[in-house]
Amino acid sequence: MVQNKAFIYKSIPDGWPVPGKDLAVEDITFDEDGEPPKGGFTTKNFYAAYDPSQRGRMRDLSIKSYSPAMQPGKPVVSVSVIGEVLKSDTPKFKPGDTVILWSHYTESYSAVDESEVERTQIIHPKTVVPLTAYLGPLGMTGMTAYGSLHEIGQPKKGDMILVSAAAGAVGQMVGQIAVREGLHVIGSVGDDKKLDFITKELGFTSGFNYKTEKMSDAVKRLAPDGLDIYFDNVGGELLDVALANMKDFGKIIACGAISTYNNGSNTTPYGIKNYGSVVRKRLRYQGFIVLDPNIRQWQEERDANVSKWIADGSLKSIDHITDGMDNAIDGFLGMLKGENLGKSILKIADP
Amino acid sequence: MVQNKAFIYKSIPDGWPVPGKDLAVEDITFDEDGEPPKGGFTTKNFYAAYDPSQRGRMRDLSIKSYSPAMQPGKPVVSVSVIGEVLKSDTPKFKPGDTVILWSHYTESYSAVDESEVERTQIIHPKTVVPLTAYLGPLGMTGMTAYGSLHEIGQPKKGDMILVSAAAGAVGQMVGQIAVREGLHVIGSVGDDKKLDFITKELGFTSGFNYKTEKMSDAVKRLAPDGLDIYFDNVGGELLDVALANMKDFGKIIACGAISTYNNGSNTTPYGIKNYGSVVRKRLRYQGFIVLDPNIRQWQEERDANVSKWIADGSLKSIDHITDGMDNAIDGFLGMLKGENLGKSILKIADP
C-alpha cells in the first residue's frame, strides 16, 4: 500500500462548506502492487477540474437532480480528471494511455464500474494544445459554452450579448466564441483585475464590475438598446436586471445560478421580480446541461473549431491552477467564491 | 348628432383603477347623418371583448411594450369588437356587413385609419356558432390558447398540464383543447363555483381552489410525478410552485401575469425564488403574444378544429356577459378581479 491522498466530502454543507467539518484531505491508500479490477483499470492522476455544479451535488441524498448527490465519506467527484493508465483489464486501454475520466480527486484511482470504463476516453494530446485544455475549451466547459450558445442563444452577427461570471471557465469561453462570431460582448465580473482580463486579454467588447457599479446602470450604459442574449451563470439580481433589459424575442441561456448555491437553509433566496418581461417581450428562458442531446449535437463542430482556434492562437484557454492535493479545499472554495481567472483546476501531479 | 355612450379611459391608474377618477362612461355623440370618413366606414357595435392585457396598456406613455399605451381622455380600446357596418367609403365593406374590428367601447364608431380598415374582418356567422364565439374560441382568445399550447407546450398524449386562471377566457380554452388531445388537465381557480365549472362542465381532469388549499400541497396532490406543461396566466406564487414541480424538460407557457397587473407603485411584486429549476430541469419558459408569427401559423388549424368542436358540442364557449355600456366599468373590474366564468364580454346592443 502506498499513500493516496484524496479530497473527501465529509458531510452536507448548510451554506458555505466548512473545511474540516464538510471537506477534508485524507490518505485513503492505494494498492500499487494489486491487479486492476476485473474489466477495469487503474490510473495515476494529473489534473482534476473544479466546477460550480459540484456544489449542487453536495445535497441531501433524497433530493433528485440531473446528477446524483455525492456520498458523504467518499472522495469529492470531479466532472473531468486527466490521468495515465497504470494497469488495465479492459482492451479499451493499455498502460501509459492518457485518459480523461469522470472520477474523484485522488492521487490514484481504480475504475471498476462498467459505465466508468464506457465514459473514459483516450486523448491524444497535441503539442500545440496544452493538456489542461481537455478540461477547459476542449472538455465539458467548452462543450457547455459552445453548445448552449448556439442551441439556445441562436446568435447572429451584431447581436448584443451579456455574459455573467465572464472571467470564469464557461464565461471566458462564451465571450471569446461570441466575439469571434461578430457579436457585441459585455462581460460582468466581480473585480477590476477580471475586468482588465476580459477586455484586454480576451477581447470582450466591454465589461463592468458589478461590485463598483450598479448593475442596472451598467447594463443600460453598455447596451442602451437592450440585450439579444443573456448568458446566465449567476442568477439573482443580475438575472432580474437582464430580464428588464432584454429586447423583444431575446434569449436567456440558463447555465447556472452560482449566486444561490451557497445559500444556507435560513437564507431567503433573491426573488426575481421582472419575469413579466418573459410575456411582454416574448423571451425564451431555457435551461440545459451539457449531457443533453440538443447540446451534445454541437460536439463535432466544437471540436473542429475550438481546436483550430487554440492552435492558431485566436482563442485563449486560461487556467487557474491550484497546486497539490493538500490545497484541494482552498481551490474548491476559491472557485465557489469566484477567485479564479479562467478554468479552475487542481494539479495533482506532474504529467 | 345622436347619443354615443363610451367607456372612457380618464387617467393612468396606480394600482386598481378607480371608477370616476381613472374610468368613466360618457356620451361622446355620433353624427348619424354624416358621411363615412374618407376610405373608412362607420359601425353600430354589439359586443366588445374584455381582456386582461388592457390593464397593461393603461400605463405611462413612455413605457414601451408590444401594444401601445392607451391615450388618457379617449375611449378604452378593446382587442375585438363586433359590429355592423352603417356606411362605407371602402370597397372592402358594405352597409349591413357583420365585422370584427379592433376598436373602442363605443355604441357607434367611425374607422378612418388605414390600418384599422386593414385589420377589420367580415364574419359570416353560422347558426351553429354563437356570434360571441368570434370574441372567444374563434377570436383572439382561442388563437392565444390554441397557438401557444401547440407552439410552446408541444403537448403529447398523457402529458400532465396545469392551467392557471382555468375558468377564465383563455384558461377554459386551453383546458378543453388539452383534454381533447388526451392530456391530464389540472385547473387552478379562485372559488368553488369555478372548480365545479371546470371539472363538471368543461371536463378538466381535476382542479383546486387556491384560496382554500395551499398551492404547493394541491399541485403535489394532483400531480405527484410533476408537470410536463404549465400554462401561466397569473405569475406570482403559483408560477413559483409550478417551477418547483416541473418535470425535466418541462415547458412553461408564459401567457400572462394577472396577479401583478394591479400592483401599485408602492407594491413590491412577488419575487420568484425557484428559477434555479430552469437550469436543473432544463425547462423552457417562453412568452408570446397572439400576433407573433409562430403563434399565428396555427390559425388555419385552429379555425378548422375549433369550428368543428363547437358545432359538434364537444367544446364549450362560455361567455360572461356584462349588459349595457352603463355597466362597462363593472365588467372591466370584474374581469380583472377574476369574477368571470369564461370570456368576459360587454354587450353594447342587440345584434
Side-chain angles (χ1 to χ4, degrees):
Chain A
M1 290 289 181
V2 295
Q3 170 186 286
N4 185 17
K5 281 192 190 166
F7 175 24
I8 306 286
Y9 170 50
K10 303 287 282 186
S11 64
I12 304 168
D14 184 14
W16 285 95
V18 178
K21 177 176 168 292
D22 302 319
L23 303 172
V25 174
E26 295 173 357
D27 181 8
I28 59 170
T29 75
F30 181 73
D31 183 3
E32 62 175 354
D33 300 321
E35 290 300 306
K38 192 166 164 51
F41 60 94
T42 58
T43 63
K44 173 175 167 53
N45 295 330
F46 306 133
Y47 295 106
Y50 289 115
D51 189 279
S53 68
Q54 293 172 305
R55 179 63 184 84
R57 302 180 64 177
M58 296 177 175
R59 65 175 188 268
D60 190 290
L61 295 171
S62 67
I63 302 171
K64 290 199 310 183
S65 188
Y66 55 83
S67 55
M70 291 189 200
Q71 300 283 333
K74 302 264 173 138
V76 173
V77 178
S78 170
V79 168
S80 308
V81 173
I82 292 176
E84 181 181 300
V85 175
L86 294 175
K87 297 181 182 178
S88 175
D89 185 51
T90 162
K92 191 172 171 187
F93 308 114
K94 59 180 193 304
D97 282 346
T98 302
V99 291
I100 186 157
L101 58 163
W102 284 46
S103 168
H104 304 97
Y105 294 79
T106 51
E107 292 178 305
S108 293
Y109 185 65
S110 301
V112 286
D113 185 271
E114 199 176 333
S115 69
E116 270 178 285
V117 174
E118 180 64 32
R119 66 192 177 187
T120 299
Q121 300 298 326
I122 294 181
I123 51 180
H124 302 284
K126 298 174 189 146
T127 49
V128 290
V129 175
L131 192 55
T132 55
Y134 294 92
L135 301 181
L138 291 168
M140 290 293 182
T141 301
M143 196 60 240
T144 297
Y146 198 100
S148 65
L149 176 64
H150 290 92
E151 180 66 18
I152 301 174
Q154 301 169 6
K156 299 180 305 296
K157 204 166 148 67
D159 274 358
M160 181 68 77
I161 182 174
L162 170 64
V163 181
S164 58
V170 172
Q172 66 161 338
M173 284 297 303
V174 170
Q176 289 186 86
I177 295 166
V179 166
R180 280 202 66 99
E181 301 198 359
L183 280 71
H184 295 271
V185 184
I186 305 170
S188 163
V189 294
D191 67 47
D192 287 342
K193 191 174 138 206
K194 291 179 181 173
L195 190 52
D196 276 355
F197 171 66
I198 62 169
T199 53
K200 295 179 183 163
E201 283 196 56
L202 301 184
F204 280 49
T205 316
S206 65
F208 64 92
N209 176 351
Y210 70 84
K211 288 184 181 158
T212 59
E213 183 176 9
K214 207 178 149 197
M215 293 177 192
S216 54
D217 292 347
V219 173
K220 280 186 203 310
R221 177 172 65 80
L222 297 171
D225 297 328
L227 302 166
D228 297 286
I229 307 173
Y230 172 48
F231 196 99
D232 186 16
N233 285 308
V234 301
E237 186 184 345
L238 188 52
L239 172 57
D240 228 0
V241 168
L243 279 163
N245 285 280
M246 297 301 292
K247 291 187 199 170
D248 284 356
F249 303 105
K251 314 286 194 306
I252 299 181
I253 304 168
C255 181
I258 199 168
S259 73
T260 69
Y261 293 169
N262 292 290
N263 284 340
S265 52
N266 292 321
T267 309
T268 303
Y270 178 91
I272 298 296
K273 294 168 192 68
N274 295 323
Y275 60 91
S277 289
V278 176
V279 183
R280 276 198 306 280
K281 300 178 182 170
R282 295 92 106 192
L283 306 180
R284 180 170 167 181
Y285 171 33
Q286 188 170 347
F288 72 97
I289 63 164
V290 67
L291 300 177
D292 293 336
N294 62 338
I295 302 299
R296 291 313 286 254
Q297 68 179 337
W298 293 89
Q299 180 155 1
E300 205 174 326
E301 186 181 311
R302 187 283 304 258
D303 290 350
N305 282 340
V306 173
S307 300
K308 187 178 66 188
W309 297 341
I310 292 177
D312 73 18
S314 65
L315 185 141
K316 293 179 184 171
S317 166
I318 310 280
D319 299 328
H320 182 94
I321 302 282
T322 299
D323 199 358
M325 190 63 77
D326 288 335
N327 299 312
I329 299 174
D330 287 347
F332 180 65
L333 294 178
M335 181 265 310
L336 290 180
K337 288 176 189 155
E339 292 171 355
N340 51 306
L341 280 188
K343 180 69 186 173
S344 286
I345 293 171
L346 179 69
K347 181 176 174 184
I348 300 168
D350 280 316
Chain B
M1 288 291 180
V2 295
Q3 170 184 288
N4 186 17
K5 281 191 189 167
F7 175 25
I8 305 286
Y9 170 50
K10 304 287 282 186
S11 64
I12 303 168
D14 184 15
W16 284 95
V18 178
K21 178 176 169 291
D22 301 320
L23 303 172
V25 174
E26 296 174 356
D27 180 10
I28 58 171
T29 75
F30 180 72
D31 182 1
E32 63 176 353
D33 299 321
E35 290 301 305
K38 194 168 163 50
F41 60 93
T42 57
T43 62
K44 173 175 167 53
N45 296 330
F46 305 133
Y47 295 105
Y50 289 115
D51 191 279
S53 67
Q54 293 172 304
R55 179 64 186 83
R57 301 181 64 178
M58 295 177 175
R59 64 175 189 266
D60 191 289
L61 295 171
S62 68
I63 302 171
K64 289 199 310 182
S65 188
Y66 55 85
S67 55
M70 290 189 202
Q71 300 281 334
K74 303 263 174 138
V76 173
V77 179
S78 170
V79 168
S80 307
V81 173
I82 292 175
E84 181 182 299
V85 175
L86 294 176
K87 297 181 182 179
S88 175
D89 186 50
T90 162
K92 192 171 172 190
F93 308 115
K94 61 179 192 306
D97 282 347
T98 302
V99 291
I100 186 157
L101 59 164
W102 283 46
S103 168
H104 303 98
Y105 294 79
T106 52
E107 292 178 303
S108 292
Y109 185 65
S110 300
V112 286
D113 185 89
E114 198 176 337
S115 69
E116 270 178 283
V117 174
E118 179 65 34
R119 66 192 177 187
T120 299
Q121 299 297 327
I122 294 181
I123 52 179
H124 301 285
K126 297 172 191 148
T127 50
V128 291
V129 175
L131 193 55
T132 55
Y134 294 91
L135 301 181
L138 290 168
M140 291 293 181
T141 302
M143 197 60 241
T144 297
Y146 198 99
S148 65
L149 176 64
H150 290 93
E151 180 66 18
I152 301 173
Q154 300 169 6
K156 298 181 305 296
K157 207 168 146 67
D159 273 359
M160 182 68 78
I161 182 173
L162 171 64
V163 181
S164 58
V170 172
Q172 66 161 337
M173 285 297 303
V174 171
Q176 289 186 84
I177 295 167
V179 166
R180 280 203 65 99
E181 301 197 0
L183 280 71
H184 295 271
V185 184
I186 305 170
S188 163
V189 294
D191 67 47
D192 287 343
K193 193 175 134 204
K194 291 179 180 173
L195 189 54
D196 275 357
F197 171 66
I198 62 168
T199 53
K200 294 180 184 162
E201 284 195 55
L202 301 184
F204 280 49
T205 317
S206 65
F208 64 93
N209 176 351
Y210 71 85
K211 288 184 180 157
T212 59
E213 183 175 9
K214 207 178 150 195
M215 294 178 192
S216 55
D217 291 347
V219 173
K220 280 187 203 310
R221 176 173 65 81
L222 297 171
D225 297 328
L227 301 167
D228 298 285
I229 306 174
Y230 173 48
F231 195 100
D232 186 16
N233 286 307
V234 301
E237 185 183 345
L238 188 52
L239 172 57
D240 229 0
V241 168
L243 280 163
N245 285 280
M246 297 301 291
K247 292 187 198 170
D248 285 357
F249 304 105
K251 313 287 193 307
I252 298 180
I253 303 167
C255 181
I258 198 167
S259 73
T260 69
Y261 292 170
N262 293 289
N263 285 339
S265 52
N266 292 319
T267 309
T268 304
Y270 179 93
I272 298 296
K273 294 167 192 68
N274 295 323
Y275 60 91
S277 288
V278 177
V279 183
R280 278 197 305 278
K281 300 179 183 171
R282 295 91 108 191
L283 305 181
R284 178 170 168 182
Y285 172 32
Q286 188 169 348
F288 72 98
I289 63 164
V290 66
L291 301 177
D292 294 338
N294 62 339
I295 302 299
R296 291 313 285 255
Q297 69 179 335
W298 294 87
Q299 179 155 3
E300 205 174 327
E301 186 180 311
R302 187 281 305 256
D303 290 349
N305 282 340
V306 172
S307 301
K308 188 178 65 189
W309 297 341
I310 292 177
D312 73 16
S314 66
L315 185 141
K316 292 180 185 172
S317 165
I318 311 280
D319 299 327
H320 182 95
I321 302 282
T322 298
D323 199 357
M325 190 62 78
D326 288 335
N327 299 312
I329 299 174
D330 286 349
F332 180 65
L333 295 177
M335 181 266 310
L336 290 180
K337 288 175 188 154
E339 291 171 355
N340 51 307
L341 280 189
K343 180 67 184 175
S344 286
I345 292 172
L346 178 68
K347 181 176 173 184
I348 300 169
D350 280 316

